[in-house]
């Protein structure tokens, strides 16, 4: 079965009730490719607003969740809480969580396990820093991060991997199609060797890192790029263009 293209919009720490109302109206009026799965991820306090307002063929994701269902964890949000308000997806392991908030590979693995158990679909993020790429450690890093997630996953049906080279996030630098495809191919090969050929063939691998309306169609042509996790451009009208990138092929 061909893998369904998926595009996620990570709004990060951006937006207001007013600006997100405008953004959602743009999505609702957009001519979106029906063959693409689309997920948007506003900040926690706007999740319910966006979920209720956005068209039904666009899903909504949390940007994070904790590895416990409840308890004395001030400031955290549980996967069960996201499910309770109708959220289907969560982004876990984003490089900003790893770098700024010092989340470890093991912590992210536990979060993925708990989110899946709670019934959420997961975008699991992996990716290397610039110095790691320059030292030819890209594969070593992404495999280490992926292995920490994989050991907690028995059913990959609701997992999408998001490869996001840290040096390309929000910098305007983009991995070339060849660079991105090479890593995606390595990830799929690792899944085939360590998990199964079936999982490797079925699991979608998104690319993230300064994706925009100008480069999306070119990146989408690569064999192992199954979608995009979009940051800044998801807050702009060009997000519709990115969602339709596959249709231009």
């Amino acid at each position: 079965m061909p893998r369904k293209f998926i595009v996620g919009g990570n709004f990060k720490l951006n937006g207001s009730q007013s600006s997100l109302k405008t953004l959602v109206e743009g999505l609702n009026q957009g001519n979106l490719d029906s063959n693409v799965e689309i997920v948007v991820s506003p900040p926690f306090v706007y999740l319910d607003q966006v979920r209720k307002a956005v068209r039904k063929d666009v899903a909504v994701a949390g940007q994070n969740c904790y590895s416990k269902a409840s308890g004395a964890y001030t400031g955290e949000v549980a996967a069960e809480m996201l499910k309770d308000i109708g959220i289907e997806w969560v982004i876990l392991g984003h490089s900003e969580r790893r770098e700024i908030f010092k989340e470890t590979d093991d912590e992210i693995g536990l979060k993925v396990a708990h989110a899946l158990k709670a019934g959420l679909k997961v975008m699991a993020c992996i990716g290397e820093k610039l110095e790691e790429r320059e030292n030819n450690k890209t594969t070593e890093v992404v495999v280490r991060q992926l292995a920490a997630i994989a050991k907690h996953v028995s059913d990959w049906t609701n997992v999408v991997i998001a490869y996001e080279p840290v040096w390309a996030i929000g910098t305007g630098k983009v991995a070339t199609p060849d660079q991105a495809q090479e890593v995606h191919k390595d990830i799929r090969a690792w899944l085939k060797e360590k998990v199964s050929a079936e999982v490797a063939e079925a699991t979608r691998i998104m690319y993230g890192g300064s994706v925009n309306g100008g480069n999306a169609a070119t990146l989408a042509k690569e064999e192992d790029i199954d979608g995009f996790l979009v940051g800044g451009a998801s807050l702009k009208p060009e997000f519709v263009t990115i969602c339709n990138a596959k249709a231009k092929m």
Side-chain angles (χ1 to χ4, degrees):
M1 288 289 289
R3 296 181 294 269
K4 187 172 185 177
F5 208 75
I6 180 169
V7 177
N10 178 11
F11 299 171
K12 305 189 180 184
L13 188 60
N14 293 294
S16 63
Q17 290 187 73
S18 175
S19 69
L20 293 183
K21 180 176 183 289
T22 300
L23 193 155
V24 166
E25 287 172 350
L27 277 177
N28 289 348
Q29 295 165 11
N31 184 19
L32 298 176
D33 185 349
S34 61
N35 295 314
V36 174
E37 186 169 5
I38 300 169
V39 185
V40 295
S41 187
F44 284 126
V45 295
Y46 303 122
L47 282 170
D48 199 45
Q49 172 192 337
V50 170
R51 184 193 64 80
K52 289 175 178 176
V54 78
R55 54 197 288 173
K56 298 308 177 188
D57 56 347
V58 174
V60 180
Q63 295 179 16
N64 186 31
C65 67
Y66 196 47
S67 57
K68 304 288 185 182
S70 62
Y73 306 108
T74 301
E76 293 293 341
V77 171
E80 290 81 357
M81 294 174 177
L82 296 178
K83 283 287 291 183
D84 189 45
I85 62 168
I87 303 305
E88 299 177 51
W89 286 86
V90 66
I91 300 170
L92 293 173
H94 193 281
S95 66
E96 290 155 6
R97 299 299 312 177
R98 295 176 186 268
E99 291 299 306
I100 299 170
F101 300 99
K102 308 304 179 187
E103 291 186 6
T104 66
D105 293 344
D106 288 340
E107 287 173 327
I108 292 160
L110 291 172
K111 286 186 173 190
V112 170
H114 188 81
L116 291 172
K117 183 179 179 182
L120 290 176
K121 300 173 186 177
V122 175
M123 295 180 189
C125 302
I126 58 177
E128 84 283 8
K129 302 175 190 175
L130 180 59
E131 58 268 30
E132 292 167 335
R133 170 165 282 275
E134 290 176 341
N135 289 321
N136 297 314
K137 292 186 176 182
T138 295
T139 302
E140 177 185 331
V141 171
V142 298
V143 162
R144 185 199 76 224
Q145 294 170 340
L146 184 56
I149 292 166
K151 70 181 182 181
H152 295 284
V153 180
S154 57
D155 181 355
W156 287 79
T157 306
N158 291 324
V159 179
V160 175
I161 297 167
Y163 167 61
E164 296 195 299
V166 180
W167 49 271
I169 298 174
T171 63
K173 297 179 181 179
V174 185
T176 66
D178 285 346
Q179 286 175 322
Q181 167 60 22
E182 180 182 17
V183 180
H184 283 228
K185 185 178 179 181
D186 287 345
I187 292 168
R188 205 172 303 284
W190 186 92
L191 288 171
K192 183 177 181 179
E193 178 186 354
K194 301 295 185 181
V195 184
S196 74
E198 291 76 18
V199 166
E201 180 61 29
T203 299
R204 293 177 291 180
I205 307 172
M206 312 165 81
Y207 171 76
S210 298
V211 176
N212 58 52
N215 59 34
T218 303
L219 287 161
K221 293 177 182 178
E222 296 298 327
E223 179 181 358
D224 290 298
I225 295 180
D226 304 312
F228 304 120
L229 184 53
V230 185
S234 67
L235 297 164
K236 303 174 183 177
E238 69 182 297
F239 185 59
V240 172
T241 302
I242 297 169
C243 291
N244 292 336
K246 197 74 172 174
K248 294 182 177 182
M249 295 172 56

